[in-house]
Amino acid sequence: MDIKQLYYFCTIVSEGQITKAAAKLHMAQPPLSQQLKQLESELGVVLFERKGRKLLLTDSGKALYENSQKLLSDLEDIKMKVKEINEGIRGKLSIGVSKTCFSYLPERIQFFRAEYPEVLFHIIEGDTAQICDLLMDRSIEVAITRFPIDHEHFAMKAFKNEPYVLIIPKTWKHLLSNEHKITLEDVQQFPLMLLHRIHGTGQYEIITKAFKDQHLNPHIILECPDVSILFLLANSEIGATIVPLGAIENISHDNLHVVEITDANIHSESGIIWLKDRHLSKCTQLFIESFDSYY
């Protein structure tokens, strides 16, 4: 049993079929099938059961997969450490970011470009649930996102809290008794569009709980995981939305108006997160440290 066989085996697991795995590995199917048979023969176990075209792991296969994933990950970490010693601060920094946290990025990237010009940034956008999935499968090293998150798997540094604000079309300002402030009770007059994660608990639940705590019933007409879509819809006078204050910093829509919510003690928590027990490149460590003023 060697590293290459384990890599082939893990690819078959992730793809679910030998045909797909062979295509991903850029090799013919028969040699890959032979490698799998050799691995099963050497270990004296059956690693897969067939269900139609799909391959399902046996208990032995599951045990091998879990341990192989850790071994391959450790090997990548070793390679990264050795390369860093030889090359210094360079390479690719893969960052996940939620759209409501975009405002944290420009200053940090500008700083890194000045200090470490050999670093290539790879940015992937997604809601918190998607970002966590990307960290778990090691597609990214670090992420800037909204909380709550699963603390079991992730280490984090939290930023300072941000209040939630109401965003309405400017043409609706005449409906406000105070142009700059509003209560949750008065928010009920507006058709409301809220951020909602693809899965898991997040800002939607925080906001709706604030209404529930005051025995109020908001008129929710739309849920969406993408804040830019909510801004476009609000700009088109479809409805109003409630978002963290930091999410509006890069708004370029002329028809949007920001209103402070005075009687809801709700704040958005965000921060920088990474996978526990994973070796972080020196570049990533420096990136995390560069946010010290935000904590």
Side-chain angles (χ1 to χ4, degrees), residues 56-74:
L56 302 178
L57 284 171
T58 62
D59 289 341
S60 296
K62 290 176 183 177
L64 180 63
Y65 181 65
E66 290 174 4
N67 286 280
S68 296
Q69 285 285 85
K70 185 178 185 307
L71 181 62
L72 292 172
S73 175
D74 289 344

Side-chain angles (χ1 to χ4, degrees), residues 40-83:
E40 288 181 321
S41 176
E42 182 177 345
L43 294 173
V45 298
V46 175
L47 297 172
F48 292 100
E49 294 176 349
R50 289 190 175 275
K51 186 176 182 180
R53 294 184 177 180
K54 193 77 174 175
L55 292 175
L56 302 178
L57 284 171
T58 62
D59 289 341
S60 296
K62 290 176 183 177
L64 180 63
Y65 181 65
E66 290 174 4
N67 286 280
S68 296
Q69 285 285 85
K70 185 178 185 307
L71 181 62
L72 292 172
S73 175
D74 289 344
L75 182 62
E76 286 301 311
D77 288 346
I78 291 169
K79 289 164 61 178
M80 186 185 299
K81 288 177 183 177
V82 172
K83 287 178 68 176

Side-chain angles (χ1 to χ4, degrees), residues 161-261:
N161 290 349
E162 303 169 36
Y164 283 96
V165 293
L166 177 72
I167 307 293
I168 63 170
K170 284 185 178 178
T171 51
W172 293 4
K173 286 169 62 175
H174 68 280
L175 299 173
L176 302 170
S177 57
N178 184 315
E179 188 173 310
H180 303 291
K181 297 181 179 181
I182 194 170
T183 64
L184 275 186
E185 183 176 5
D186 288 337
V187 171
Q188 291 179 111
Q189 69 182 297
F190 297 110
L192 204 56
M193 307 177 294
L194 296 180
L195 283 167
H196 201 307
R197 290 186 185 179
I198 292 176
H199 59 79
T201 301
Q203 296 178 71
Y204 180 89
E205 288 75 17
I206 292 171
I207 293 168
T208 53
K209 182 179 184 301
F211 281 101
K212 186 176 180 180
D213 288 346
Q214 294 192 32
H215 307 288
L216 301 173
N217 296 301
H219 180 36
I220 300 173
I221 64 166
L222 185 147
E223 303 167 6
C224 176
D226 191 328
V227 71
S228 62
I229 293 176
L230 296 184
F231 288 156
L232 285 169
L233 293 173
N235 193 63
S236 299
E237 303 183 12
I238 303 298
T241 187
I242 297 175
V243 297
L245 181 61
I248 68 173
E249 289 190 13
N250 298 320
I251 291 179
S252 59
H253 305 294
D254 295 331
N255 190 34
L256 296 181
H257 179 65
V258 181
V259 189
E260 175 189 354
I261 302 172

